[in-house]
């Protein structure tokens, strides 16, 4: 982390009051840490919009008894092996499996992978959680 620089921000009283209320709810100790987090979140959002290299997690829930489905999900993941860092399979109960797939790569490729997995017939739940490689974020 580089040298910290202080800067002033002008805000309407009502907006600052709302912001402070939000900080209390989110358990922030001070405004600086909250503003830093908001800036980082915005930069990560920007990374996902501008097609930079990103990281993230895809979550899948499905019934493993549908053998065709399991094979399809496996085939799709092999098509995108360059973007997949690791995956973890958890047996939730007798029928249901939860899989987390950690990904790193080009945004459009990752979005395509997430959409292909999600749209596979029989997948009960699927989310893409965006994260960052943090290369450009301190
Ligand atoms: Ni399982």
């Amino acid at each position: 982390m580089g040298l910290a620089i202080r800067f002033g921000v002008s805000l309407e009283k009502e907006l600052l009051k709302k912001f402070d209320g939000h900080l209390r709810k989110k358990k922030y100790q001070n405004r600086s840490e909250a503003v830093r987090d908001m800036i980082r979140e915005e930069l990560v959002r920007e990374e996902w919009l501008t097609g930079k290299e990103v990281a993230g997690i895809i979550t899948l829930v499905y019934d493993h008894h549908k053998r065709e489905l399991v094979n399809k999900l496996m085939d799709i993941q092999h098509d995108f092996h360059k973007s997949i860092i690791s995956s973890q399979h958890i047996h939730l109960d007798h029928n249901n499996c939860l899989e987390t797939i950690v990904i790193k790569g080009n945004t459009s490729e990752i979005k395509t992978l997430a959409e292909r997995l999600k749209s596979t017939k029989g997948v009960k739940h699927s989310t893409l959680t965006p994260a960052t490689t943090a290369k450009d974020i301190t």
Side-chain angles (χ1 to χ4, degrees):
M1 211 194 302
L3 178 74
I5 294 168
R6 286 165 91 54
F7 68 100
V9 177
S10 303
L11 274 186
E12 286 78 17
K13 201 176 166 188
E14 275 308 301
L15 190 56
L16 184 60
K17 212 173 137 188
K18 279 187 185 167
F19 185 56
D20 285 342
H22 171 78
L23 301 194
R24 272 192 299 278
K25 261 192 271 171
K26 298 283 181 179
K27 309 292 180 211
Y28 277 106
Q29 301 296 310
N30 58 60
R31 290 175 185 153
S32 291
E33 194 49 41
V35 170
R36 276 193 286 270
D37 274 356
M38 289 167 78
I39 292 171
R40 288 188 198 108
E41 275 171 30
E42 191 54 34
L43 292 174
V44 170
R45 215 186 333 263
E46 185 75 12
E47 282 181 353
W48 279 83
L49 289 174
T50 53
K52 284 187 175 179
E53 186 187 51
V54 291
I57 300 170
I58 296 170
T59 310
L60 290 174
V61 177
Y62 59 89
D63 184 340
H64 80 276
H65 287 118
K66 295 175 180 167
R67 292 287 163 201
E68 189 87 343
L69 169 63
V70 177
N71 284 334
K72 269 187 200 163
L73 294 176
M74 197 63 73
D75 284 347
I76 295 169
Q77 290 186 56
H78 276 271
D79 286 345
F80 290 84
H81 68 92
K82 283 180 185 159
S83 302
I84 296 176
I85 295 172
S86 76
S87 63
Q88 184 177 33
H89 183 110
I90 295 136
H91 313 302
L92 287 176
D93 56 33
H94 186 71
N95 302 315
N96 295 301
C97 306
L98 181 141
E99 217 167 288
T100 57
I101 305 163
V102 179
I103 39 152
K104 188 176 108 177
N106 169 279
T107 47
S108 63
E109 207 159 311
I110 284 173
K111 282 177 185 168
T112 305
L113 167 62
E115 281 159 10
R116 280 189 58 191
L117 292 169
K118 187 173 189 156
S119 63
T120 303
K121 196 179 170 224
V123 171
K124 293 181 177 182
H125 173 84
S126 178
T127 52
L128 169 60
T129 307
T132 177
T133 62
K135 282 178 187 163
D136 299 326
I137 295 167
T138 53

